[in-house]
Amino acid sequence: MTTFTRSTIPDAVRTNGATPNPWWDNAVVYQIYPRSFQDSNGDGIGDLKGITSRLDYLADLGVDVIWLSPVYRSPQDDNGYDISDYQAIDPMFGTMDDMDELLAQAHERGIKVIMDLVVNHTSDEHAWFQESRDPHSDKADWYWWRPAREGHEPGTPGAEPNQWGSYFGGSAWQYDPQRGEYFLHQYSKKQPDLNWENPAVRRAVYDMMNWWMDRGIDGFRMDVITQISKVTDPDGRLPGEPGSRIEDYPAGEEGYSSPYPFCSDGPRIDEFLKEMRREVFEHRDGYLNVGEAPGVDAVRNGYITDPAHKELDMLFLFDHLGIDQVGPKWVSRPFAVQHLRHQLALQQEAVKDHGWASLFTCNHDQPRVVTRWGDDSSEEMRERSAKAFGMLVHLHRGTPYIYQGEELGMTGAHFTKLGQYRDLESINAYRQRVEEAKVQSPESMMDALALFGRDNARTPMQWDGSKYAGFEAPGAPTEPWIAVNPNHVEINAAAQIDDPDSVLAFYRKLVNLRHNSATVAAGVWNLVDDDDASVYAFTRTLGDDRLLVAINLTGEAAALPAQVRGLLEDGVQESQMVLTTMDAIHSAKALAAGKLEPWEGVVVEL
């Protein structure tokens, strides 16, 4: 097993603005989607024992933290993001003893573990919600309950409290006959939104978080945490409700308006996050908390992650991931380097004086970047583009996140039939857009699912070239819960682990560079060219140390921008090549010739 060291960045070097610097300032986080990572018992679903069995692989990669998507008890309507018991492990993933063993084994290897936390909503099978269905219960207002519109029969079209639509299709309101009222669900109808306006709800959430922290986990990744605060009028009415003083936006092509503008980065979000920090984290050391941040822009990220404000350490922003979409998620436009550069530059500039950035292109909700923006049409182009986007993410200032299989250059699923998908969002979107609203053709919707569908990131981890890619034994009694990508025969960890030119080997170099170069971890970021259609270039500077990063993010050879040529006017020696997606000799010659090959990226010491 490779032994990695991680140097300490001196407090004299500013990272996020805290003193002393946080422990995670040069760390790398690895996200695990448990049901697709490693199955230990042959039931077709990944589990905690499977993760534990692969910890040496993660230690060899060099990562410092693993983030687990939800493993709590759940009906699995949204693959575990609908939690029915926060303090129990779902049997499909194992037991609490298995969780404790994973924590112990990870910590023994110097790897911290953070858990996904979903507290904007629960499952409708959670005890809190079941009690809330009784209007006389002390939990009666733990969720967003509203009566049917006057003059309408409850449960019929038009009786909903307002015209909001769910992000997963259909109305954002579900009628409950037992209570005789509707409840709000921004996501699935089995994911009712908690009412964070109620201090008892917040107290219960903090108590649960403390229970986990006391058990030994190292923090949380908080799902859609910036949607816990909703806009209401002075009387507590939501926009568009009868009598509300706040007007809703018009309905869109699917027949609904969106709750997003009123439920994202709401008026009390800073208050709630500060309270959470006081109640859960302030008296602890060695933790990490990162929030998924719908509705938060780069400037707000700088505020929320500024340690002086005592909210969250990091946020996941999504503006850069919407650059190839027009309006709805399912309508695409071509990838453009200029659009990506613009969004990432905004994020970097917003934290140049305080705060911190999360660096990522992939996760369980996003398609594989090598298929989405790269080129998986051939083995050579797949490897080149996988390395190029890896370099792009890991050479920016902030904390890099690797999503399982990204370090292998795993591709999208390339499904061609709706029946191959398992994701609730994708299936509902097809039904809503194609069959009900009829705003998209079946052919274009299938193309959109192949490009943007979440299942592209959820096919089993490709460990080797055997029948089920090593995710489970070839003779397992049950097939994986979702089909293994057929290209696992060529793309897998076993084939790359001893190959010095593999994508996996390149990611090891990226992690090592993050660990041991304070310039990469915390140096000042400056854009070199703001308009080139092919090459994304920037510098990282710390004292007298200055690095130039230039990456051709296209499948065609590209001339170096004039500003880059100006920085290299004295020539480039092979010894100046810190890292390249190809090889040092080739890249030095390419720079001397004023060009980069398709998907070629370089890090040069100036």
Side-chain angles (χ1 to χ4, degrees):
M1 186 171 69
T2 305
T3 300
F4 284 86
T5 58
R6 183 157 68 93
S7 60
T8 300
I9 298 179
D11 289 340
V13 175
R14 188 193 74 79
T15 59
N16 71 332
T19 303
N21 284 335
W23 65 267
W24 42 256
D25 54 13
N26 60 350
V28 178
V29 183
Y30 188 96
Q31 183 191 356
I32 291 175
Y33 194 67
R35 66 166 51 223
S36 294
F37 193 64
Q38 180 66 65
D39 175 15
S40 72
N41 60 7
D43 66 355
I45 298 172
D47 47 50
L48 293 171
K49 285 185 175 180
I51 296 170
T52 302
S53 74
R54 296 293 187 177
L55 287 175
D56 284 345
Y57 169 85
L58 299 174
D60 187 61
L61 179 57
V63 298
D64 308 278
V65 183
I66 56 175
W67 146 30
L68 301 180
S69 284
V71 293
Y72 314 93
R73 189 179 293 275
S74 165
Q76 302 296 320
D77 183 62
D78 186 26
N79 285 9
Y81 284 84
D82 50 316
I83 298 170
S84 58
D85 188 341
Y86 289 104
Q87 292 174 232
I89 299 296
D90 195 286
M92 73 164 53
F93 297 122
T95 66
M96 192 63 75
D97 286 343
D98 295 335
M99 184 68 200
D100 291 341
E101 179 66 11
L102 171 58
L103 286 172
Q105 291 295 322
H107 290 162
E108 187 175 298
R109 290 163 175 79
I111 299 174
K112 291 179 179 282
V113 179
I114 64 174
M115 294 183 69
D116 226 316
L117 181 69
V118 190
V119 289
N120 172 73
H121 47 264
T122 69
S123 166
D124 64 347
E125 297 182 28
H126 196 290
W128 295 348
F129 183 78
Q130 291 301 314
E131 289 184 52
S132 189
R133 297 174 72 195
D134 177 358
H136 304 293
S137 162
D138 61 1
K139 294 182 175 60
D141 61 348
W142 279 39
Y143 296 82
W144 292 86
W145 292 100
R146 292 293 188 270
R149 283 182 176 268
E150 188 174 345
H152 291 76
E153 182 181 348
T156 62
E160 298 87 358
N162 66 15
Q163 61 181 352
W164 284 355
S166 162
Y167 311 132
F168 284 1
S171 174
W173 294 96
Q174 179 67 23
Y175 181 68
D176 179 48
Q178 177 175 319
R179 171 137 173 172
E181 291 186 310
Y182 287 86
F183 63 84
L184 174 67
H185 60 93
Q186 292 184 75
Y187 295 89
S188 163
K189 63 183 180 182
K190 287 185 67 63
Q191 293 172 298
D193 278 44
L194 281 164
N195 178 14
W196 274 68
E197 300 293 318
N198 186 332
V201 170
R202 304 199 301 274
R203 180 72 267 158
V205 169
Y206 305 152
D207 287 347
M208 173 269 295
M209 293 172 71
N210 276 306
W211 184 88
W212 275 109
M213 294 295 289
D214 291 344
R215 196 172 191 95
I217 70 165
D218 302 291
F220 295 98
R221 175 268 186 188
M222 304 175 192
D223 187 69
V224 296
I225 195 65
T226 53
Q227 294 189 318
I228 58 177
S229 172
K230 278 68 167 170
V231 171
T232 61
D233 73 5
D235 298 314
R237 297 187 183 93
L238 295 165
E241 279 193 75
S244 176
R245 305 185 206 180
I246 304 175
E247 290 188 11
D248 194 5
Y249 289 105
E253 61 182 1
E254 295 177 16
Y256 300 98
S257 61
S258 175
Y260 191 88
F262 304 107
C263 297
S264 303
D265 198 20
R268 299 187 68 186
I269 190 64
D270 293 309
E271 174 192 347
F272 293 159
L273 294 179
K274 289 175 191 291
E275 181 181 67
M276 178 188 290
R277 188 154 192 134
R278 287 195 308 271
E279 295 297 322
V280 180
F281 299 110
E282 278 295 277
H283 59 288
R284 302 180 188 274
D285 295 315
Y287 65 83
L288 170 65
N289 56 53
V290 55
E292 185 184 30
V296 170
D297 63 15
V299 173
R300 282 284 290 143
N301 175 76
Y303 181 92
I304 292 171
T305 65
D306 182 345
H309 298 143
K310 297 183 182 296
E311 295 190 31
L312 295 178
D313 296 327
M314 301 174 216
L315 293 174
F316 290 120
L317 304 187
F318 296 99
D319 289 345
H320 66 294
L321 294 177
I323 60 168
D324 55 353
Q325 296 166 325
V326 183
K329 172 177 179 175
W330 310 107
V331 180
S332 66
R333 67 175 180 175
F335 167 76
V337 175
Q338 298 99 316
H339 295 155
L340 179 62
R341 179 195 296 115
H342 174 70
Q343 292 298 335
L344 292 182
L346 289 176
Q347 294 179 22
Q348 291 287 297
E349 288 294 329
V351 295
K352 66 181 180 180
D353 296 321
H354 50 70
W356 202 243
S358 296
L359 310 173
F360 72 105
T361 55
C362 298
N363 65 28
H364 65 290
D365 284 335
Q366 300 296 329
R368 298 282 183 183
V369 71
V370 72
T371 298
R372 182 180 191 177
W373 294 340
D375 183 354
D376 64 2
S377 64
S378 71
E379 182 66 5
E380 180 182 12
M381 291 298 102
R382 180 192 66 83
E383 289 189 355
R384 283 193 185 190
S385 58
K387 291 176 182 178
F389 281 106
M391 177 179 282
L392 180 76
V393 167
H394 286 254
L395 267 295
H396 277 79
R397 188 171 185 274
T399 294
Y401 288 75
I402 301 171
Y403 177 68
Q404 63 182 50
E406 184 181 354
E407 76 280 8
L408 304 176
M410 280 179 60
T411 71
H414 297 294
F415 290 153
T416 57
K417 299 177 182 178
L418 187 63
Q420 294 174 288
Y421 289 91
R422 302 290 179 266
D423 175 36
L424 180 70
E425 180 192 42
S426 296
I427 295 168
N428 284 355
Y430 185 94
R431 183 182 302 115
Q432 178 75 28
R433 296 184 63 79
V434 175
E435 298 174 354
E436 296 179 10
K438 300 186 188 322
V439 296
Q440 199 158 350
S441 71
E443 295 78 14
S444 69
M445 191 64 196
M446 289 305 299
D447 289 343
L449 293 179
L451 184 61
F452 298 126
R454 300 192 299 181
D455 280 342
N456 286 291
R458 298 178 179 185
T459 56
M461 179 70 172
Q462 294 169 202
W463 296 106
D464 59 38
S466 64
K467 181 179 179 182
Y468 296 131
F471 168 71
E472 61 178 350
T478 306
E479 292 187 351
W481 70 278
I482 191 170
V484 176
N485 195 318
N487 65 22
H488 75 275
V489 177
E490 297 81 30
I491 305 170
N492 60 72
Q496 296 188 32
I497 204 156
D498 294 321
D499 179 357
D501 296 321
S502 66
V503 178
L504 178 59
F506 187 76
Y507 266 77
R508 287 197 197 107
K509 294 175 183 177
L510 290 172
V511 173
N512 195 46
L513 195 58
R514 172 72 44 170
H515 283 172
N516 294 299
S517 170
T519 304
V520 170
V524 174
W525 181 95
N526 280 303
L527 191 61
V528 172
D529 177 279
D530 64 359
D531 193 46
D532 194 88
S534 300
V535 177
Y536 188 143
F538 53 91
T539 58
R540 302 297 310 282
T541 307
L542 185 63
D544 295 331
D545 189 23
R546 193 180 189 202
L547 302 176
L548 168 67
V549 182
I551 310 168
N552 179 5
L553 292 178
T554 73
E556 305 290 336
L560 293 176
Q563 296 94 321
V564 174
R565 295 199 305 272
L567 291 173
L568 301 175
E569 61 184 354
D570 294 332
V572 179
Q573 303 300 315
E574 185 182 339
S575 60
Q576 292 175 259
M577 304 300 301
V578 176
L579 187 64
T580 170
T581 59
M582 300 184 76
D583 65 76
I585 295 175
H586 178 279
S587 292
K589 290 180 178 178
L591 293 177
K595 66 176 184 178
L596 290 172
E597 293 297 316
W599 305 110
E600 184 173 11
V602 295
V603 182
V604 181
E605 190 171 23
L606 297 177

